[in-house]
Amino acid sequence: MEETLKLYEDVESWRTVIFLYNAALKEVGTKLEILNDEFKHVHKYNPIEYIKSRIKKPESIVKKLKRHNLDINVDNMINHINDIAGVRIVCSFTSDIYKVAEMIGKQNDLTVISVKDYIRNPKQSGYQSFHVIVYYTVQTINGPKRIHVEIQIRTLAMNFWATIEHSLQYKYRRNIPDRIRERLNASAEAILKLDQEMSSIHDEI
């Protein structure tokens, strides 16, 4: 990790920025848990199964900057990479995803920057998820700092598929063989049907 950090102009600036991203993750995660608790209190139903958060690894940040032909420095990291701080929300049903997204959009301390619906419009790979990029303001000893946070919302089935696909991308260095890609696409279609069927059963209950 230290070798990667040396690529940055100012290692101390890097560490300060990562501290802020971690702070944003903690606060956004707590906010989402409270919203989930309130939803359960009001509607007697829990739309969120679990929440996970992560900070993008230095190596991944460097690779992404290089892919976009950007110089490797802290300013470019902050201004051009929106998913350094990531929160993943996993729900039971597809309808829950849109309920959670609606709740996020109503928060006055979260500013929605962009929305990508890969459920209604899946990626060519078969990937399905709902992505929201928000600004969250962290209060520091030097005043407020606005931080990008990416929120991904998926069903349990979508998350299972995405986890397997991600591990294959890593194994094959983002060049998955066609035969495996075809099976992944077929699995994604099966997951879509499974989610639809489980939602239908849930609605009947």
Side-chain angles (χ1 to χ4, degrees):
M1 181 174 175
E2 288 298 324
E3 290 181 2
T4 303
L5 294 184
K6 289 175 184 176
L7 294 171
Y8 290 91
E9 294 175 342
D10 186 342
V11 173
E12 194 57 39
S13 293
W14 156 268
R15 290 175 176 154
T16 299
V17 169
I18 291 302
F19 169 83
L20 294 175
Y21 279 111
N22 270 311
L25 278 185
K26 289 179 182 178
E27 294 186 28
V28 171
T30 299
K31 166 179 278 295
L32 292 169
E33 288 174 359
I34 292 170
L35 287 174
N36 192 43
D37 290 344
E38 183 187 5
F39 193 95
K40 184 177 181 180
H41 172 72
V42 173
H43 300 286
K44 313 304 179 188
Y45 175 71
N46 191 351
I48 298 175
E49 287 289 334
Y50 63 88
I51 300 169
K52 291 183 69 175
S53 61
R54 64 100 182 98
I55 295 291
K56 206 172 190 68
K57 293 181 179 179
E59 296 86 352
S60 298
I61 294 171
V62 170
K63 286 180 182 178
K64 195 160 189 177
L65 287 171
K66 286 181 176 178
R67 282 203 306 271
H68 292 282
N69 296 315
L70 294 169
D71 291 336
I72 300 169
N73 58 55
V74 172
D75 285 342
N76 280 339
M77 179 183 85
I78 295 169
N79 295 324
H80 297 285
I81 302 183
N82 295 333
D83 63 346
I84 293 173
V87 177
R88 182 175 302 156
I89 302 172
V90 178
C91 305
S92 294
F93 305 102
T94 304
S95 57
D96 292 335
I97 293 173
Y98 294 102
K99 289 173 187 173
V100 172
E102 183 180 4
M103 287 192 292
I104 291 170
K106 290 178 179 178
Q107 306 309 302
N108 59 15
D109 56 350
L110 292 176
T111 302
V112 175
I113 303 302
S114 69
V115 172
K116 292 182 179 178
D117 189 343
Y118 296 117
I119 299 169
R120 294 190 173 116
N121 300 288
K123 289 186 177 182
Q124 188 175 3
S125 65
Y127 176 84
Q128 300 173 64
S129 187
F130 192 95
H131 291 195
V132 184
I133 302 292
V134 301
Y135 272 136
Y136 181 76
T137 302
V138 176
Q139 302 300 327
T140 76
I141 56 176
N142 294 316
K145 304 292 182 183
R146 198 166 64 165
I147 304 297
H148 279 110
V149 178
E150 181 189 58
I151 303 173
Q152 299 179 353
I153 318 173
R154 307 170 179 168
T155 64
L156 289 159
M158 292 172 193
N159 190 59
F160 174 68
W161 185 96
T163 301
I164 298 301
E165 196 264 354
H166 180 77
S167 66
L168 289 172
Q169 291 282 13
Y170 180 80
K171 178 179 179 179
Y172 290 104
R173 299 183 180 181
R174 308 185 74 86
N175 189 26
I176 297 176
D178 290 341
R179 69 184 188 282
I180 295 178
R181 175 59 62 198
E182 289 173 3
R183 294 174 68 183
L184 279 171
N185 286 335
S187 298
E189 292 176 7
I191 282 173
L192 175 61
K193 291 178 181 178
L194 174 63
D195 273 337
Q196 290 172 341
E197 182 65 15
M198 297 306 292
S199 292
S200 177
I201 292 170
H202 177 255
D203 291 342
E204 286 189 24
I205 295 173

